[in-house]
Amino acid sequence: MRTLTVTRLEHLPRLAWLVQLDQGSDTVSATVGPWVDARPDAVFEGTWAGDVSSDFSDSFSLFGSGVLLRGDELVVAAPCHTMEAVYSVRHDGKLAFSNSIAFLLEAVGVELDMNYLGYEADALSIRGGLDSYHREWPLADGARLGVHFYCNVVVNAAGELREERKPVPPRVGSWQEYRGFLGDQMAAVHANATHAGRVHTYPPIVFSSNGYDSSACAALGKEIGCNEAVVFESKRASRSDSGRDVVTALGYTEIHEKHELDYRDTDTADLFVANGELGTSMYFAAAELELTGKMLLSGAYGDRAWDRTAKVNDQVRRYVPLPDTSRKEFRLAAGYLMVAPAYLSTMHLADVVAISNSPEMAPWTLHNDYDRPIPRRVVEEAGVPRELFGQHKDGGAGTSLRFGTLAQLRRTMPSKSLGRFTAYLGEARKRRNKLRPKYLLRVVAYGLYLFTAVLDTRGVKKPIRVLQDRWPIEYQCSPFAPSYLFPWGVSEVRSAYRASP
């Protein structure tokens, strides 16, 4: 029978955890951050629709991750969404798991491979769904990083791994069933997150734009007592994406206004590249104070689950260039939970799309190219006038560090972070062999990709669409300065996981 020992270290990022199993031993050793919850049989961070003493690995609504003993088996539970994974490494007679790549590599003493150019492509591969993402990433000296999305990883008494699929939610056949399901699930995850027996409790907060999905989250949040919202003004002078009018109409009174580019005053870029996707959500850094210790209701995946013309599949494909995975280390350090209601029925996506196209949703259907009847009905029935949201969508807040060369990074990266990165870059470039045929091929391929991007800005859009559809994803990833961001981010973040602060 396995036993679990837990060491809590106050200097670790608040929600980080790591477990290790020595070959031939029945003891599972866990090292956790100060806000990770622990029971005699489990460690976990996050929330789910169930009591905090229940089996979170048996939930279809786990927004977080953890480890649970089940007799002689160890169950490592990944989140029930594709924005975050759990990771594993087998090295030197030990098997280790963590919710952080940097924590895992630091604990087992393994390095990234500086000559490998595929890390960004590996990270982006989850956009293609659960049947096509890259499940192993190469490390130095032949080691491999195991990547586990939307599953439970079970380790048997012999130390062998197998992945189990997550439980699926009940099917929904009508608007009333689905709306009741969303409301019940939000109430249950809120009750779990705010349970008095937890190490830390997490009251709700929303980020609100004037698009469909975050507006729906604001309406759902109001039903569970949420009164705090963060709204971002766009970096584009030609439009406003702020959801202030939406949350005001819903009765929110604690509203924090930010600008999309406020992240430039922070020094947290390493936290947004240390997961492989390069800086997509850096604007979150401007709201770190508001997010800390909260449960964020996120509109993520609403573009898939709630769009009336969504392509139906059970692999959680995103059909977008970036899969929204970059903020993992920031979330663990800041100490907030992230709940995305649109993911709850992703394994029954056909049911949700059928409801969107049903006659009962006709009054909330616009018959245009930005048409999501489900969130529109949620928000309008909560009292928000139709003209205040969901009229047009230009992408919302966001930025990225993945494009071009160092010159582009100088324009987008926070200056303090840029200084740290350029100091690292000078030495790191010496460790990469630029004469290898694979590297030269990547340079040529990416140059062509950049050329089609320039044509796209000038109205010639077909070439870049052809490349995006037909080229391997790695040819769309820069082999220049941005390709060093992930190794840099991991090396910086590893310092937070050292044995002593």
Side-chain angles (χ1 to χ4, degrees), residues 149-170:
F149 275 103
Y150 212 129
C151 68
N152 294 326
V153 185
V154 181
V155 185
N156 66 18
E160 299 167 329
L161 276 63
R162 71 176 187 275
E163 288 189 357
E164 293 181 347
R165 299 199 69 170
K166 291 285 188 179
V168 296

Side-chain angles (χ1 to χ4, degrees), residues 125-146:
S125 65
I126 187 58
R127 72 187 186 183
L130 297 176
D131 58 350
S132 61
Y133 78 89
H134 300 176
R135 286 172 160 76
E136 286 191 341
W137 302 3
L139 302 171
D141 301 322
R144 311 290 290 183
L145 176 73

Side-chain angles (χ1 to χ4, degrees), residues 229-281:
V230 178
V231 298
F232 283 87
E233 192 48 85
S234 173
K235 62 187 175 185
R236 303 179 191 177
S238 60
R239 65 167 174 84
S240 173
D241 197 53
S242 170
R244 168 172 272 281
D245 290 345
V246 173
V247 293
T248 299
L250 288 167
Y252 282 74
T253 58
E254 193 174 351
I255 304 172
H256 310 281
E257 291 192 271
K258 308 285 183 179
H259 192 279
E260 184 179 350
L261 298 180
D262 286 347
Y263 78 88
R264 290 181 173 176
D265 296 326
T266 71
D267 185 16
T268 56
D270 51 332
L271 297 176
F272 291 92
V273 299
N275 216 48
E277 185 181 333
L278 303 181
T280 311
S281 300

Side-chain angles (χ1 to χ4, degrees), residues 7 34 56 211 248 266 279 334 381:
T7 301
F56 51 82
T248 299
T266 71
E381 289 188 343

Side-chain angles (χ1 to χ4, degrees), residues 337-416:
L337 312 184
M338 186 163 60
V339 172
Y343 270 103
L344 285 167
S345 288
T346 186
M347 293 304 177
H348 294 313
L349 189 58
D351 291 347
V352 179
V353 174
I355 293 169
S356 292
N357 288 276
S358 65
E360 64 179 331
M361 300 303 291
W364 295 273
T365 302
L366 303 185
H367 297 287
N368 59 20
D369 61 357
Y370 186 43
D371 195 5
R372 300 177 189 172
I374 286 175
R376 177 162 293 285
R377 185 168 182 178
V378 169
V379 179
E380 289 189 8
E381 289 188 343
V384 179
R386 174 166 293 197
E387 65 273 12
L388 292 186
F389 73 101
Q391 299 302 310
H392 53 82
K393 188 66 171 176
D394 297 315
T399 190
S400 181
L401 300 176
R402 69 181 299 258
F403 299 107
T405 63
L406 184 59
Q408 178 66 18
L409 292 181
R410 290 193 176 105
R411 292 192 289 270
T412 55
M413 200 169 181
S415 59
K416 293 180 181 178

